[in-house]
Amino acid sequence: MNSYTTLKIRGYGDEPVANTFIKQDSGTERLAVLFPGMRYTIDMPLLYYTSRVLVSSGADALLVDYRYHLDPTFMAASEQDQARRLTADVTAACRAALSQRSYRDVTIVGKSIGTLAMAHLLSTESNLGTARVVWLTPLLRNENLRAQIKSWRGKSLFVIGTTDPDYD
């Protein structure tokens, strides 16, 4: 069985970061952290089923649900300010998840803007050096993201369709 809870995560500006934490009642050394897209939320099919597969395989899972598209302040902010908020929120979320148990195996999944979050974490959080990552429709037109992907030496899975505007 699993238990569902909300972790008390404070991100950018000490604001709460919405989330659901699914904890294996029997204990585990595996963690999955999932980051949604801008308008593709954590409860939509691609991320919903991905989280279910990871949880059913024995991982705890943190489902981050930032829903920035519903925040007019975020949407009106500059790209730099949006990036600052995203990186602060996901860093706080990842650290909160990692503090729940002693995990040996970490999987990070990001969709669209969530891939920017992943790239930031992989380049700044040294304890994620052996993480496995899943890039769902990564924003490949973003030069910084491409550079961070190239420097990542861990295991990765990329999923993107040829008609995606970011596909090249």
Side-chain angles (χ1 to χ4, degrees), residues 1-3 21-32 54-62 97-107 132:
M1 292 298 296
N2 307 314
S3 56
F21 186 69
I22 306 169
K23 186 175 184 177
Q24 298 286 335
D25 292 337
S26 60
T28 186
E29 293 182 327
R30 298 181 60 214
L31 172 68
L54 291 163
V55 168
S56 69
S57 70
D60 287 349
L62 177 65
L98 288 168
S99 73
Q100 298 305 302
R101 300 185 205 244
S102 180
Y103 296 107
R104 288 184 319 123
D105 182 8
V106 178
T107 301
R132 293 178 301 198

PDB file of all heavy atoms in Angstrom, residues 1-3 21-32 54-62 97-107 132:
ATOM      1  N   MET A   1       0.836  -1.184   0.000  1.00  0.00           N
ATOM      2  CA  MET A   1       0.000   0.000   0.000  1.00  0.00           C
ATOM      3  C   MET A   1       0.880   1.245   0.000  1.00  0.00           C
ATOM      4  O   MET A   1       2.044   1.200   0.352  1.00  0.00           O
ATOM      5  CB  MET A   1      -0.904   0.005   1.234  1.00  0.00           C
ATOM      6  CG  MET A   1      -1.962  -1.080   1.244  1.00  0.00           C
ATOM      7  SD  MET A   1      -3.167  -0.986  -0.101  1.00  0.00           S
ATOM      8  CE  MET A   1      -3.982   0.537   0.235  1.00  0.00           C
ATOM      9  N   ASN A   2       0.246   2.341  -0.356  1.00  0.00           N
ATOM     10  CA  ASN A   2       0.931   3.626  -0.392  1.00  0.00           C
ATOM     11  C   ASN A   2       0.118   4.635   0.398  1.00  0.00           C
ATOM     12  O   ASN A   2      -1.102   4.533   0.476  1.00  0.00           O
ATOM     13  CB  ASN A   2       1.046   4.135  -1.836  1.00  0.00           C
ATOM     14  CG  ASN A   2       1.659   3.122  -2.759  1.00  0.00           C
ATOM     15  OD1 ASN A   2       2.648   2.511  -2.446  1.00  0.00           O
ATOM     16  ND2 ASN A   2       1.032   2.934  -3.908  1.00  0.00           N
ATOM     17  N   SER A   3       0.808   5.634   0.921  1.00  0.00           N
ATOM     18  CA  SER A   3       0.102   6.736   1.560  1.00  0.00           C
ATOM     19  C   SER A   3       0.365   8.006   0.765  1.00  0.00           C
ATOM     20  O   SER A   3       1.435   8.182   0.185  1.00  0.00           O
ATOM     21  CB  SER A   3       0.529   6.889   3.019  1.00  0.00           C
ATOM     22  OG  SER A   3       1.927   7.058   3.116  1.00  0.00           O
ATOM     23  N   PHE A  21       2.918  13.786  -2.364  1.00  0.00           N
ATOM     24  CA  PHE A  21       3.987  12.825  -2.111  1.00  0.00           C
ATOM     25  C   PHE A  21       3.348  11.465  -1.871  1.00  0.00           C
ATOM     26  O   PHE A  21       2.490  11.318  -1.005  1.00  0.00           O
ATOM     27  CB  PHE A  21       4.834  13.234  -0.903  1.00  0.00           C
ATOM     28  CG  PHE A  21       6.028  12.344  -0.692  1.00  0.00           C
ATOM     29  CD1 PHE A  21       7.087  12.363  -1.587  1.00  0.00           C
ATOM     30  CD2 PHE A  21       6.086  11.485   0.383  1.00  0.00           C
ATOM     31  CE1 PHE A  21       8.199  11.545  -1.405  1.00  0.00           C
ATOM     32  CE2 PHE A  21       7.190  10.655   0.579  1.00  0.00           C
ATOM     33  CZ  PHE A  21       8.248  10.692  -0.315  1.00  0.00           C
ATOM     34  N   ILE A  22       3.744  10.498  -2.679  1.00  0.00           N
ATOM     35  CA  ILE A  22       3.248   9.130  -2.556  1.00  0.00           C
ATOM     36  C   ILE A  22       4.359   8.309  -1.925  1.00  0.00           C
ATOM     37  O   ILE A  22       5.451   8.197  -2.484  1.00  0.00           O
ATOM     38  CB  ILE A  22       2.848   8.550  -3.923  1.00  0.00           C
ATOM     39  CG1 ILE A  22       1.845   9.468  -4.620  1.00  0.00           C
ATOM     40  CG2 ILE A  22       2.282   7.130  -3.748  1.00  0.00           C
ATOM     41  CD1 ILE A  22       1.583   9.111  -6.077  1.00  0.00           C
ATOM     42  N   LYS A  23       4.067   7.777  -0.762  1.00  0.00           N
ATOM     43  CA  LYS A  23       5.076   7.055   0.020  1.00  0.00           C
ATOM     44  C   LYS A  23       4.732   5.571   0.102  1.00  0.00           C
ATOM     45  O   LYS A  23       3.594   5.201   0.418  1.00  0.00           O
ATOM     46  CB  LYS A  23       5.135   7.645   1.434  1.00  0.00           C
ATOM     47  CG  LYS A  23       6.222   7.094   2.302  1.00  0.00           C
ATOM     48  CD  LYS A  23       6.253   7.849   3.619  1.00  0.00           C
ATOM     49  CE  LYS A  23       7.412   7.380   4.473  1.00  0.00           C
ATOM     50  NZ  LYS A  23       7.485   8.149   5.724  1.00  0.00           N
ATOM     51  N   GLN A  24       5.722   4.747  -0.206  1.00  0.00           N
ATOM     52  CA  GLN A  24       5.559   3.298  -0.074  1.00  0.00           C
ATOM     53  C   GLN A  24       5.505   2.964   1.411  1.00  0.00           C
ATOM     54  O   GLN A  24       6.429   3.292   2.163  1.00  0.00           O
ATOM     55  CB  GLN A  24       6.742   2.561  -0.717  1.00  0.00           C
ATOM     56  CG  GLN A  24       6.903   2.802  -2.197  1.00  0.00           C
ATOM     57  CD  GLN A  24       5.876   2.082  -3.029  1.00  0.00           C
ATOM     58  OE1 GLN A  24       5.321   1.057  -2.629  1.00  0.00           O
ATOM     59  NE2 GLN A  24       5.592   2.629  -4.199  1.00  0.00           N
ATOM     60  N   ASP A  25       4.435   2.333   1.854  1.00  0.00           N
ATOM     61  CA  ASP A  25       4.298   2.001   3.272  1.00  0.00           C
ATOM     62  C   ASP A  25       5.336   0.983   3.723  1.00  0.00           C
ATOM     63  O   ASP A  25       5.748   0.985   4.884  1.00  0.00           O
ATOM     64  CB  ASP A  25       2.888   1.487   3.571  1.00  0.00           C
ATOM     65  CG  ASP A  25       1.843   2.574   3.430  1.00  0.00           C
ATOM     66  OD1 ASP A  25       2.193   3.770   3.542  1.00  0.00           O
ATOM     67  OD2 ASP A  25       0.668   2.238   3.200  1.00  0.00           O
ATOM     68  N   SER A  26       5.789   0.143   2.809  1.00  0.00           N
ATOM     69  CA  SER A  26       6.747  -0.903   3.173  1.00  0.00           C
ATOM     70  C   SER A  26       8.196  -0.429   3.135  1.00  0.00           C
ATOM     71  O   SER A  26       9.103  -1.194   3.422  1.00  0.00           O
ATOM     72  CB  SER A  26       6.587  -2.101   2.237  1.00  0.00           C
ATOM     73  OG  SER A  26       6.834  -1.688   0.899  1.00  0.00           O
ATOM     74  N   GLY A  27       8.428   0.812   2.777  1.00  0.00           N
ATOM     75  CA  GLY A  27       9.796   1.331   2.689  1.00  0.00           C
ATOM     76  C   GLY A  27      10.372   1.093   1.306  1.00  0.00           C
ATOM     77  O   GLY A  27       9.942   0.189   0.581  1.00  0.00           O
ATOM     78  N   THR A  28      11.325   1.937   0.929  1.00  0.00           N
ATOM     79  CA  THR A  28      11.957   1.818  -0.379  1.00  0.00           C
ATOM     80  C   THR A  28      13.231   2.650  -0.402  1.00  0.00           C
ATOM     81  O   THR A  28      13.397   3.559   0.417  1.00  0.00           O
ATOM     82  CB  THR A  28      11.018   2.277  -1.516  1.00  0.00           C
ATOM     83  OG1 THR A  28      11.631   2.015  -2.772  1.00  0.00           O
ATOM     84  CG2 THR A  28      10.688   3.755  -1.416  1.00  0.00           C
ATOM     85  N   GLU A  29      14.099   2.327  -1.327  1.00  0.00           N
ATOM     86  CA  GLU A  29      15.295   3.140  -1.572  1.00  0.00           C
ATOM     87  C   GLU A  29      15.192   3.830  -2.923  1.00  0.00           C
ATOM     88  O   GLU A  29      16.179   4.323  -3.450  1.00  0.00           O
ATOM     89  CB  GLU A  29      16.552   2.260  -1.524  1.00  0.00           C
ATOM     90  CG  GLU A  29      16.830   1.713  -0.137  1.00  0.00           C
ATOM     91  CD  GLU A  29      18.102   0.880  -0.099  1.00  0.00           C
ATOM     92  OE1 GLU A  29      18.434   0.217  -1.103  1.00  0.00           O
ATOM     93  OE2 GLU A  29      18.757   0.908   0.954  1.00  0.00           O
ATOM     94  N   ARG A  30      13.981   3.852  -3.491  1.00  0.00           N
ATOM     95  CA  ARG A  30      13.768   4.435  -4.817  1.00  0.00           C
ATOM     96  C   ARG A  30      12.860   5.656  -4.711  1.00  0.00           C
ATOM     97  O   ARG A  30      11.863   5.640  -3.989  1.00  0.00           O
ATOM     98  CB  ARG A  30      13.128   3.400  -5.739  1.00  0.00           C
ATOM     99  CG  ARG A  30      14.033   2.186  -5.942  1.00  0.00           C
ATOM    100  CD  ARG A  30      13.442   1.160  -6.859  1.00  0.00           C
ATOM    101  NE  ARG A  30      13.216   1.796  -8.145  1.00  0.00           N
ATOM    102  CZ  ARG A  30      12.188   1.492  -8.932  1.00  0.00           C
ATOM    103  NH1 ARG A  30      11.311   0.582  -8.587  1.00  0.00           N
ATOM    104  NH2 ARG A  30      12.046   2.097 -10.091  1.00  0.00           N
ATOM    105  N   LEU A  31      13.211   6.687  -5.460  1.00  0.00           N
ATOM    106  CA  LEU A  31      12.428   7.919  -5.489  1.00  0.00           C
ATOM    107  C   LEU A  31      12.238   8.364  -6.925  1.00  0.00           C
ATOM    108  O   LEU A  31      13.169   8.306  -7.731  1.00  0.00           O
ATOM    109  CB  LEU A  31      13.154   9.038  -4.713  1.00  0.00           C
ATOM    110  CG  LEU A  31      12.546  10.442  -4.822  1.00  0.00           C
ATOM    111  CD1 LEU A  31      11.192  10.496  -4.117  1.00  0.00           C
ATOM    112  CD2 LEU A  31      13.506  11.477  -4.250  1.00  0.00           C
ATOM    113  N   ALA A  32      11.034   8.834  -7.219  1.00  0.00           N
ATOM    114  CA  ALA A  32      10.751   9.473  -8.507  1.00  0.00           C
ATOM    115  C   ALA A  32      10.248  10.884  -8.216  1.00  0.00           C
ATOM    116  O   ALA A  32       9.460  11.087  -7.299  1.00  0.00           O
ATOM    117  CB  ALA A  32       9.699   8.688  -9.273  1.00  0.00           C
ATOM    118  N   LEU A  54       5.925   4.141 -11.979  1.00  0.00           N
ATOM    119  CA  LEU A  54       7.043   4.267 -11.038  1.00  0.00           C
ATOM    120  C   LEU A  54       6.642   3.854  -9.623  1.00  0.00           C
ATOM    121  O   LEU A  54       7.384   3.148  -8.941  1.00  0.00           O
ATOM    122  CB  LEU A  54       7.588   5.691 -11.067  1.00  0.00           C
ATOM    123  CG  LEU A  54       8.305   6.061 -12.362  1.00  0.00           C
ATOM    124  CD1 LEU A  54       8.453   7.567 -12.507  1.00  0.00           C
ATOM    125  CD2 LEU A  54       9.659   5.376 -12.441  1.00  0.00           C
ATOM    126  N   VAL A  55       5.455   4.273  -9.187  1.00  0.00           N
ATOM    127  CA  VAL A  55       4.982   3.897  -7.854  1.00  0.00           C
ATOM    128  C   VAL A  55       4.720   2.394  -7.784  1.00  0.00           C
ATOM    129  O   VAL A  55       5.104   1.733  -6.812  1.00  0.00           O
ATOM    130  CB  VAL A  55       3.733   4.717  -7.464  1.00  0.00           C
ATOM    131  CG1 VAL A  55       3.054   4.147  -6.223  1.00  0.00           C
ATOM    132  CG2 VAL A  55       4.104   6.181  -7.261  1.00  0.00           C
ATOM    133  N   SER A  56       4.102   1.821  -8.819  1.00  0.00           N
ATOM    134  CA  SER A  56       3.820   0.375  -8.790  1.00  0.00           C
ATOM    135  C   SER A  56       5.096  -0.455  -8.851  1.00  0.00           C
ATOM    136  O   SER A  56       5.106  -1.605  -8.433  1.00  0.00           O
ATOM    137  CB  SER A  56       2.858  -0.017  -9.916  1.00  0.00           C
ATOM    138  OG  SER A  56       3.484   0.103 -11.171  1.00  0.00           O
ATOM    139  N   SER A  57       6.189   0.143  -9.337  1.00  0.00           N
ATOM    140  CA  SER A  57       7.462  -0.581  -9.350  1.00  0.00           C
ATOM    141  C   SER A  57       8.225  -0.407  -8.034  1.00  0.00           C
ATOM    142  O   SER A  57       9.348  -0.891  -7.905  1.00  0.00           O
ATOM    143  CB  SER A  57       8.326  -0.129 -10.528  1.00  0.00           C
ATOM    144  OG  SER A  57       8.794   1.186 -10.328  1.00  0.00           O
ATOM    145  N   GLY A  58       7.629   0.298  -7.069  1.00  0.00           N
ATOM    146  CA  GLY A  58       8.210   0.368  -5.736  1.00  0.00           C
ATOM    147  C   GLY A  58       8.846   1.684  -5.343  1.00  0.00           C
ATOM    148  O   GLY A  58       9.485   1.769  -4.289  1.00  0.00           O
ATOM    149  N   ALA A  59       8.673   2.725  -6.123  1.00  0.00           N
ATOM    150  CA  ALA A  59       9.289   4.013  -5.797  1.00  0.00           C
ATOM    151  C   ALA A  59       8.327   4.899  -5.010  1.00  0.00           C
ATOM    152  O   ALA A  59       7.116   4.861  -5.231  1.00  0.00           O
ATOM    153  CB  ALA A  59       9.704   4.738  -7.074  1.00  0.00           C
ATOM    154  N   ASP A  60       8.877   5.688  -4.093  1.00  0.00           N
ATOM    155  CA  ASP A  60       8.150   6.844  -3.582  1.00  0.00           C
ATOM    156  C   ASP A  60       8.108   7.836  -4.735  1.00  0.00           C
ATOM    157  O   ASP A  60       8.975   7.802  -5.616  1.00  0.00           O
ATOM    158  CB  ASP A  60       8.899   7.499  -2.415  1.00  0.00           C
ATOM    159  CG  ASP A  60       8.844   6.707  -1.114  1.00  0.00           C
ATOM    160  OD1 ASP A  60       8.066   5.743  -1.012  1.00  0.00           O
ATOM    161  OD2 ASP A  60       9.614   7.079  -0.191  1.00  0.00           O
ATOM    162  N   ALA A  61       7.141   8.741  -4.727  1.00  0.00           N
ATOM    163  CA  ALA A  61       7.061   9.712  -5.823  1.00  0.00           C
ATOM    164  C   ALA A  61       6.613  11.072  -5.311  1.00  0.00           C
ATOM    165  O   ALA A  61       5.639  11.163  -4.556  1.00  0.00           O
ATOM    166  CB  ALA A  61       6.111   9.225  -6.908  1.00  0.00           C
ATOM    167  N   LEU A  62       7.334  12.110  -5.745  1.00  0.00           N
ATOM    168  CA  LEU A  62       6.914  13.478  -5.505  1.00  0.00           C
ATOM    169  C   LEU A  62       6.373  14.024  -6.813  1.00  0.00           C
ATOM    170  O   LEU A  62       7.097  14.088  -7.812  1.00  0.00           O
ATOM    171  CB  LEU A  62       8.063  14.358  -5.011  1.00  0.00           C
ATOM    172  CG  LEU A  62       7.669  15.828  -4.810  1.00  0.00           C
ATOM    173  CD1 LEU A  62       6.633  15.964  -3.692  1.00  0.00           C
ATOM    174  CD2 LEU A  62       8.893  16.674  -4.513  1.00  0.00           C
ATOM    175  N   ALA A  97      11.930  16.147  -1.175  1.00  0.00           N
ATOM    176  CA  ALA A  97      11.704  14.733  -1.499  1.00  0.00           C
ATOM    177  C   ALA A  97      12.881  13.876  -1.046  1.00  0.00           C
ATOM    178  O   ALA A  97      12.693  12.830  -0.427  1.00  0.00           O
ATOM    179  CB  ALA A  97      11.476  14.566  -2.997  1.00  0.00           C
ATOM    180  N   LEU A  98      14.087  14.339  -1.352  1.00  0.00           N
ATOM    181  CA  LEU A  98      15.278  13.563  -0.984  1.00  0.00           C
ATOM    182  C   LEU A  98      15.446  13.427   0.524  1.00  0.00           C
ATOM    183  O   LEU A  98      16.090  12.487   0.998  1.00  0.00           O
ATOM    184  CB  LEU A  98      16.531  14.203  -1.600  1.00  0.00           C
ATOM    185  CG  LEU A  98      16.670  14.039  -3.113  1.00  0.00           C
ATOM    186  CD1 LEU A  98      17.765  14.949  -3.650  1.00  0.00           C
ATOM    187  CD2 LEU A  98      16.939  12.583  -3.479  1.00  0.00           C
ATOM    188  N   SER A  99      14.856  14.328   1.291  1.00  0.00           N
ATOM    189  CA  SER A  99      14.987  14.268   2.752  1.00  0.00           C
ATOM    190  C   SER A  99      14.019  13.284   3.397  1.00  0.00           C
ATOM    191  O   SER A  99      14.108  13.038   4.602  1.00  0.00           O
ATOM    192  CB  SER A  99      14.775  15.664   3.353  1.00  0.00           C
ATOM    193  OG  SER A  99      13.405  16.026   3.287  1.00  0.00           O
ATOM    194  N   GLN A 100      13.131  12.683   2.637  1.00  0.00           N
ATOM    195  CA  GLN A 100      12.125  11.790   3.198  1.00  0.00           C
ATOM    196  C   GLN A 100      12.689  10.447   3.648  1.00  0.00           C
ATOM    197  O   GLN A 100      12.214   9.865   4.616  1.00  0.00           O
ATOM    198  CB  GLN A 100      10.978  11.572   2.209  1.00  0.00           C
ATOM    199  CG  GLN A 100      10.232  12.842   1.852  1.00  0.00           C
ATOM    200  CD  GLN A 100       9.721  13.571   3.074  1.00  0.00           C
ATOM    201  OE1 GLN A 100       8.951  13.009   3.866  1.00  0.00           O
ATOM    202  NE2 GLN A 100      10.151  14.820   3.256  1.00  0.00           N
ATOM    203  N   ARG A 101      13.684   9.953   2.930  1.00  0.00           N
ATOM    204  CA  ARG A 101      14.343   8.679   3.257  1.00  0.00           C
ATOM    205  C   ARG A 101      15.749   8.720   2.686  1.00  0.00           C
ATOM    206  O   ARG A 101      16.113   9.650   1.979  1.00  0.00           O
ATOM    207  CB  ARG A 101      13.633   7.488   2.613  1.00  0.00           C
ATOM    208  CG  ARG A 101      12.207   7.258   2.967  1.00  0.00           C
ATOM    209  CD  ARG A 101      11.759   5.951   2.308  1.00  0.00           C
ATOM    210  NE  ARG A 101      10.350   5.898   2.074  1.00  0.00           N
ATOM    211  CZ  ARG A 101       9.538   5.016   2.651  1.00  0.00           C
ATOM    212  NH1 ARG A 101      10.005   4.135   3.498  1.00  0.00           N
ATOM    213  NH2 ARG A 101       8.255   5.016   2.365  1.00  0.00           N
ATOM    214  N   SER A 102      16.467   7.657   2.906  1.00  0.00           N
ATOM    215  CA  SER A 102      17.781   7.494   2.278  1.00  0.00           C
ATOM    216  C   SER A 102      17.571   6.753   0.957  1.00  0.00           C
ATOM    217  O   SER A 102      17.346   5.545   0.944  1.00  0.00           O
ATOM    218  CB  SER A 102      18.704   6.696   3.200  1.00  0.00           C
ATOM    219  OG  SER A 102      19.956   6.539   2.594  1.00  0.00           O
ATOM    220  N   TYR A 103      17.620   7.496  -0.145  1.00  0.00           N
ATOM    221  CA  TYR A 103      17.359   6.908  -1.463  1.00  0.00           C
ATOM    222  C   TYR A 103      18.665   6.608  -2.181  1.00  0.00           C
ATOM    223  O   TYR A 103      19.585   7.422  -2.179  1.00  0.00           O
ATOM    224  CB  TYR A 103      16.536   7.877  -2.319  1.00  0.00           C
ATOM    225  CG  TYR A 103      15.157   8.144  -1.775  1.00  0.00           C
ATOM    226  CD1 TYR A 103      14.860   9.370  -1.185  1.00  0.00           C
ATOM    227  CD2 TYR A 103      14.153   7.190  -1.849  1.00  0.00           C
ATOM    228  CE1 TYR A 103      13.594   9.635  -0.687  1.00  0.00           C
ATOM    229  CE2 TYR A 103      12.882   7.447  -1.351  1.00  0.00           C
ATOM    230  CZ  TYR A 103      12.615   8.668  -0.772  1.00  0.00           C
ATOM    231  OH  TYR A 103      11.352   8.917  -0.278  1.00  0.00           O
ATOM    232  N   ARG A 104      18.735   5.437  -2.801  1.00  0.00           N
ATOM    233  CA  ARG A 104      19.887   5.057  -3.624  1.00  0.00           C
ATOM    234  C   ARG A 104      19.606   5.249  -5.104  1.00  0.00           C
ATOM    235  O   ARG A 104      20.512   5.404  -5.906  1.00  0.00           O
ATOM    236  CB  ARG A 104      20.247   3.580  -3.409  1.00  0.00           C
ATOM    237  CG  ARG A 104      20.877   3.260  -2.093  1.00  0.00           C
ATOM    238  CD  ARG A 104      21.303   1.795  -1.986  1.00  0.00           C
ATOM    239  NE  ARG A 104      20.325   0.869  -2.553  1.00  0.00           N
ATOM    240  CZ  ARG A 104      20.594  -0.012  -3.515  1.00  0.00           C
ATOM    241  NH1 ARG A 104      21.788  -0.117  -4.017  1.00  0.00           N
ATOM    242  NH2 ARG A 104      19.648  -0.815  -3.966  1.00  0.00           N
ATOM    243  N   ASP A 105      18.340   5.198  -5.482  1.00  0.00           N
ATOM    244  CA  ASP A 105      17.928   5.196  -6.882  1.00  0.00           C
ATOM    245  C   ASP A 105      16.917   6.316  -7.100  1.00  0.00           C
ATOM    246  O   ASP A 105      15.827   6.291  -6.524  1.00  0.00           O
ATOM    247  CB  ASP A 105      17.302   3.830  -7.196  1.00  0.00           C
ATOM    248  CG  ASP A 105      16.880   3.672  -8.640  1.00  0.00           C
ATOM    249  OD1 ASP A 105      17.191   4.543  -9.470  1.00  0.00           O
ATOM    250  OD2 ASP A 105      16.213   2.665  -8.935  1.00  0.00           O
ATOM    251  N   VAL A 106      17.292   7.311  -7.918  1.00  0.00           N
ATOM    252  CA  VAL A 106      16.419   8.460  -8.168  1.00  0.00           C
ATOM    253  C   VAL A 106      16.123   8.547  -9.663  1.00  0.00           C
ATOM    254  O   VAL A 106      17.025   8.450 -10.490  1.00  0.00           O
ATOM    255  CB  VAL A 106      17.066   9.775  -7.688  1.00  0.00           C
ATOM    256  CG1 VAL A 106      16.174  10.971  -8.000  1.00  0.00           C
ATOM    257  CG2 VAL A 106      17.374   9.704  -6.190  1.00  0.00           C
ATOM    258  N   THR A 107      14.842   8.734  -9.974  1.00  0.00           N
ATOM    259  CA  THR A 107      14.402   8.970 -11.344  1.00  0.00           C
ATOM    260  C   THR A 107      13.715  10.319 -11.373  1.00  0.00           C
ATOM    261  O   THR A 107      12.865  10.606 -10.529  1.00  0.00           O
ATOM    262  CB  THR A 107      13.415   7.884 -11.807  1.00  0.00           C
ATOM    263  OG1 THR A 107      14.048   6.605 -11.715  1.00  0.00           O
ATOM    264  CG2 THR A 107      12.948   8.121 -13.236  1.00  0.00           C
ATOM    265  N   ARG A 132      18.475   8.720 -12.985  1.00  0.00           N
ATOM    266  CA  ARG A 132      17.992   8.431 -14.333  1.00  0.00           C
ATOM    267  C   ARG A 132      16.967   9.506 -14.654  1.00  0.00           C
ATOM    268  O   ARG A 132      16.193   9.909 -13.783  1.00  0.00           O
ATOM    269  CB  ARG A 132      17.359   7.050 -14.390  1.00  0.00           C
ATOM    270  CG  ARG A 132      18.385   5.942 -14.187  1.00  0.00           C
ATOM    271  CD  ARG A 132      17.720   4.611 -14.205  1.00  0.00           C
ATOM    272  NE  ARG A 132      16.728   4.601 -13.132  1.00  0.00           N
ATOM    273  CZ  ARG A 132      16.180   3.515 -12.623  1.00  0.00           C
ATOM    274  NH1 ARG A 132      16.501   2.352 -13.097  1.00  0.00           N
ATOM    275  NH2 ARG A 132      15.308   3.583 -11.660  1.00  0.00           N
TER     276      ARG A 132
END
